[in-house]
Amino acid sequence: MKTVILGIESSCDDTSAAVVADGILLSNVIASQQVHEEYGGVVPELASRAHQQNIVPVVDAAIRRAGISKADLSAIAFTRGPGLLGSLLVGTSFAKGLSLGLRIPIVDVNHLHGHVLSHFVRETPDGRVPTFPYLCLLVSGGNSQLILVKGYNDMEILGRTIDDAAGEAFDKCAKVMGLPYPGGPYIDRLAAEGDARRFKFAKPHIQGLDYSFSGLKTSFLYTLRDGIKADADFIEKNKADLAASLQATIIAILLDKLEKAVRQTGVKTVAIGGGVSANSGVRAAVADFCAAHELEAFIPERKFTTDNAAMVAIAGYFKYLDGIFCPYDSTPYARVEV
């Protein structure tokens, strides 16, 4: 009898549901929220309302596309945190209600664990997956972490951001440049057209494997300040070079710590995950780094880099196999370490 897991993701502004059977992905449905674009960021109350509207049709679509019925489900995995509490409450409440109705267990998933384990999402049985231990560079809007992954449910944080994350640096600098939200993808596209050597931005000198991006952000703002005062067209004339220089600096900061972590751990496999792992420059830089150091690289498909239920379902699948279930009195959490 197959182990079939329904995964539900509602940590921020994407409502997603996915079905995994014996570790193989059968469906992955995502409903994105466009309402936040005009506000330049996610509005928590609007996000939770949209989740309420989307979750039933999204889950229904995931089950239908998987070619199964609700009676085939073994368990329901849901994102318990970290994330926006209102959004998480929608997914948590729905998962609990459905599990009670179907009389099957629920499995809570750490959203960050999902990103780390996204490399185990396979659409065919012969899909390539990492071997333990491996080093994961987790880079997203709210997190920049170096994680030693010893097992599906055994992870050690080696380094983390002490202020802004890489994704925040991209989005905040993009906002100052007048680019739409989210700014990261626009920076990525502009960077392909610019000269990465044109502008020099500050790089932090943080001991150990921790990250910091606040100094870079401040350096970026100081670069723009005089230009804005002197000429309103400064950003427009230089936006491609600004984007390219910003992206190159962020990549250099990420790789500096990654190289140190590889030397310290001696691992031979490196993976990246999180929303920023969709960035073209980051993907290419990590691939080149691994090739130069004779490391096996795992770079996720772009559809598995953003918030999605496929990663929640696969993380829940491994917890289910280990018999790790969630009690019904568990509540969502906004912040937590991996």
Side-chain angles (χ1 to χ4, degrees):
M1 185 175 178
K2 288 186 176 182
T3 299
V4 183
I5 306 295
L6 169 67
I8 296 174
E9 158 62 20
S10 67
S11 63
C12 191
D13 60 337
D14 287 330
T15 311
S16 182
V19 175
V20 165
D22 287 344
I24 306 301
L25 182 66
L26 302 184
S27 66
N28 187 34
V29 179
I30 302 174
S32 298
Q33 302 173 8
Q34 306 300 321
V35 66
H36 307 287
E37 291 182 2
E38 62 181 293
Y39 298 101
V42 177
V43 181
E45 178 61 27
L46 295 180
S48 58
R49 290 182 182 181
H51 283 303
Q52 289 178 312
Q53 295 174 341
N54 292 336
I55 194 162
V56 172
V58 165
V59 168
D60 180 66
I63 291 174
R64 283 190 290 104
R65 293 182 190 180
I68 64 167
S69 70
K70 292 189 291 292
D72 296 318
L73 295 175
S74 305
I76 301 169
F78 66 97
T79 301
R80 187 177 163 205
L84 302 175
L85 279 179
S87 297
L88 290 167
L89 275 169
V90 176
T92 301
S93 300
F94 185 89
K96 289 179 179 180
L98 185 58
S99 74
L100 284 169
L102 297 175
R103 297 184 179 181
I104 57 176
I106 51 174
V107 180
D108 61 317
V109 172
N110 181 318
H111 179 79
L112 304 182
H113 282 189
H115 280 302
V116 173
L117 296 176
S118 63
H119 303 280
F120 293 92
V121 177
R122 295 178 296 156
E123 296 179 276
T124 60
D126 58 349
R128 176 172 163 265
V129 297
T131 55
F132 301 115
Y134 67 92
L135 193 63
C136 182
L137 173 60
L138 176 61
V139 277
S140 66
N143 295 275
S144 293
Q145 297 180 340
L146 280 166
I147 303 164
L148 181 61
V149 187
K150 305 172 187 177
Y152 300 118
N153 296 304
D154 185 6
M155 305 179 192
E156 178 186 357
I157 298 177
L158 303 179
R160 60 172 66 83
T161 182
I162 61 174
D163 43 56
D164 286 351
E168 287 179 287
F170 274 123
D171 287 341
K172 289 178 179 179
C173 292
K175 186 173 183 178
V176 173
M177 291 173 64
L179 299 175
Y181 174 86
Y186 291 93
I187 293 289
D188 191 14
R189 288 194 287 270
L190 284 170
E193 307 169 4
D195 180 0
R197 298 166 296 180
R198 172 77 186 286
F199 297 99
K200 300 296 182 183
F201 301 123
K203 296 179 184 177
H205 298 282
I206 308 297
Q207 295 297 316
L209 297 176
D210 287 339
Y211 284 109
S212 171
F213 291 94
S214 63
L216 165 63
K217 182 185 66 177
T218 302
S219 175
F220 186 86
L221 294 175
Y222 272 108
T223 299
L224 297 185
R225 186 180 61 181
D226 292 337
I228 292 173
K229 288 183 177 180
D231 184 353
D233 295 329
F234 177 81
I235 294 177
E236 182 63 29
K237 292 177 180 178
N238 297 281
K239 62 182 180 181
D241 291 344
L242 286 165
S245 301
L246 173 68
Q247 180 166 288
T249 305
I250 290 177
I251 290 171
I253 294 171
L254 292 172
L255 290 188
D256 175 65
K257 300 293 186 176
L258 177 60
E259 183 174 5
K260 290 179 181 178
V262 168
R263 290 202 306 268
Q264 288 183 20
T265 61
V267 298
K268 299 299 182 182
T269 303
V270 169
I272 57 173
V276 179
S277 66
N279 179 279
S280 300
V282 171
R283 296 168 73 88
V286 171
D288 291 344
F289 169 82
C290 289
H293 292 79
E294 298 182 341
L295 304 171
E296 187 176 15
F298 282 86
I299 300 173
E301 293 183 54
R302 281 189 168 86
K303 63 183 178 181
F304 297 133
T305 59
T306 54
D307 295 346
N308 65 90
M311 67 182 192
V312 176
I314 199 66
Y317 170 71
F318 293 127
K319 291 187 75 172
Y320 178 87
L321 294 181
D322 286 345
I324 305 173
F325 303 121
C326 179
Y328 284 103
D329 60 357
S330 296
T331 57
Y333 47 81
R335 295 180 181 275
V336 72
E337 299 297 348
V338 87

